[in-house]
Amino acid sequence: MSKLLIVGTVAFDAIETPFGKTDKILGGAATYISLSASQFGVESGIVSVVGGDFPKEYLKKLNDRNINTDGIEIIEEGKTFFWKGKYHNDLNSRDTLITDLNVLADFNPVVPEKFIQPEFLMLGNLHPAVQMAVINQIPVRPKLVVLDTMNFWMDNTWDALMEVIAKIDVITINDEEARQLSGEYSLVKAAQKIYEMGPKYVVIKKGEHGALLFHEDNVFFAPALPLEEVFDPTGAGDTFAGGFIGHMAKTEDISFENMKRGVIAGSNLASFCVEKFGTERMENLTHNEIQERLLQFKLLTQFDIEIG
Ligand code: AMP
């Protein structure tokens, strides 16, 4: 069985959407990624850091889904990373109101012995120097390294970001971030510029408008499922990434053809994430619900047409 190592924030989030608001709830990129990837039954572990204020029952929620949390360092006298965001009425864009790095500010990641040789490595959204420090601890290059990042790190830690991007296979970012990273408006041109930075595969997430997978001259499009209820988009991007890497780790096939299925798996899982606040929907998701929705994805995109 292949092993998946996930690096990213484990956090408190406070979220405001047009439908309501929450106080500090469980959040963080690694949290969403791992909950999503756990649907594929691969052995997974998280490397992250939290403060003494982080409830033990949150760790148990992850352990209950077979996610190893030995690599989540607890700094008793410190405070957990805190993020607060507010969505606009269209739910497609949001403002970050607070980013308190807290214990993340001086985080030195240590990969537990059990996960020192992962076959799949997911570098979730986090300080690029931390992502790099994890790469440097792994003696044998994993089969696939996927990185997710965001504008915050482009604005604040550009050089460190360039260094880690040079080492990875797949980058997942949203359309706005792809434009910022590349300086190109066209997403096709943006992907080409990003190839030059290192990754051979570029996944551009477009929220409710789906995701694009670029590789050389190939491009594949996965729609997002049109949903009746969208409650809270927080974590959708991470859930997408978790579904993608979870599928890749389960199938152990890193071809472009299989990455297409990975992108669909990611879109499928993200469609559940947005239906409830925070991680709630991902915690109780069943295998049957996922399979049923995969069928909806097929029906949504299949058509017959004669070309000639
Ligand atoms: P997403 O909606 O997929 O972009 O991810 C939302 C999650 O990212 C939230 O749970 C936050 O805790 C986390 N997050 C927000 N800002 C940052 C940041 N600067 N670095 C790492 N994680 C962050």
Side-chain angles (χ1 to χ4, degrees):
M1 190 171 44
S2 62
K3 274 191 189 162
L4 168 62
L5 182 64
I6 298 158
V7 188
T9 43
V10 173
F12 286 133
D13 287 350
I15 306 162
E16 199 173 327
T17 81
F19 309 111
K21 61 200 274 191
T22 66
D23 242 352
K24 288 186 172 180
I25 58 169
L26 172 62
T31 306
Y32 283 103
I33 292 168
S34 61
L35 285 173
S36 179
S38 72
Q39 293 292 344
F40 296 86
V42 289
E43 191 176 358
S44 69
I46 297 179
V47 168
S48 192
V49 64
V50 293
D53 55 353
F54 193 75
K56 299 280 176 296
E57 71 249 31
Y58 283 177
L59 293 177
K60 190 173 171 299
K61 280 185 186 204
L62 300 174
N63 299 147
D64 286 349
R65 295 218 51 97
N66 263 329
I67 301 159
N68 185 302
T69 54
D70 295 349
I72 303 183
E73 191 188 342
I74 301 172
I75 309 227
E76 288 299 341
E77 66 285 8
K79 283 171 75 180
T80 300
F81 173 77
F82 174 58
W83 175 79
K84 181 173 183 174
K86 181 177 176 180
Y87 287 85
H88 300 157
N89 277 345
D90 66 357
L91 285 178
N92 266 333
S93 53
R94 70 182 176 207
D95 293 325
T96 288
L97 305 179
I98 302 175
T99 302
D100 283 339
L101 292 179
N102 296 329
V103 288
L104 205 68
D106 316 296
F107 179 40
N108 279 317
V110 178
V111 179
E113 196 46 45
K114 194 169 178 209
F115 284 92
I116 206 78
Q117 256 176 47
E119 281 141 288
F120 291 81
L121 175 60
M122 177 72 227
L123 300 168
N125 183 19
L126 183 115
H127 195 305
V130 174
Q131 295 174 320
M132 192 69 195
V134 169
I135 290 185
N136 286 339
Q137 283 172 53
I138 295 174
V140 180
R141 197 184 191 286
K143 269 197 184 127
L144 195 72
V145 182
V146 181
L147 175 139
D148 187 54
T149 190
M150 72 186 296
N151 51 357
F152 182 83
W153 305 112
M154 294 176 203
D155 292 337
N156 297 303
T157 57
W158 179 264
D159 290 346
L161 184 61
M162 284 301 112
E163 209 181 309
V164 69
I165 284 183
K167 302 269 180 202
I168 59 151
D169 302 302
V170 185
I171 186 168
T172 69
I173 39 177
N174 72 30
D175 42 3
E176 225 177 277
E177 291 155 357
R179 291 183 173 119
Q180 181 174 349
L181 189 62
S182 64
E184 294 285 352
Y185 183 81
S186 146
L187 295 179
V188 177
K189 283 189 183 159
Q192 284 161 359
K193 277 260 175 82
I194 296 169
Y195 295 153
E196 288 167 19
M197 298 171 186
K200 293 182 205 68
Y201 301 87
V202 177
V203 178
I204 300 183
K205 300 168 283 182
K206 290 158 60 71
E208 67 169 332
H209 304 297
L212 294 160
L213 165 66
F214 292 93
H215 173 57
E216 295 174 347
D217 291 331
N218 304 309
V219 56
F220 174 72
F221 173 66
L225 206 64
L227 293 171
E228 239 172 84
E229 303 276 4
V230 178
F231 218 67
D232 168 21
T234 308
D238 302 313
T239 301
F240 171 91
F244 176 78
I245 194 114
H247 171 84
M248 300 310 288
K250 182 182 174 196
T251 53
E252 301 193 33
D253 167 3
I254 58 168
S255 66
F256 181 71
E257 279 311 304
N258 196 42
M259 278 191 197
K260 292 182 185 177
R261 290 186 278 271
V263 170
I264 295 288
S267 297
N268 190 24
L269 282 153
S271 76
F272 290 102
C273 175
V274 302
E275 288 181 334
K276 295 251 164 82
F277 260 113
T279 55
E280 194 185 336
R281 187 69 172 101
M282 298 311 291
E283 287 169 31
N284 304 310
L285 194 53
T286 66
H287 181 73
N288 276 353
E289 286 175 313
I290 295 172
Q291 297 309 306
E292 273 172 27
R293 215 168 257 192
L294 266 182
L295 183 62
Q296 289 183 43
F297 263 92
K298 259 192 142 165
L299 297 174
L300 179 70
T301 50
Q302 265 178 357
F303 58 89
D304 248 334
I305 195 166
E306 257 181 51
I307 299 179

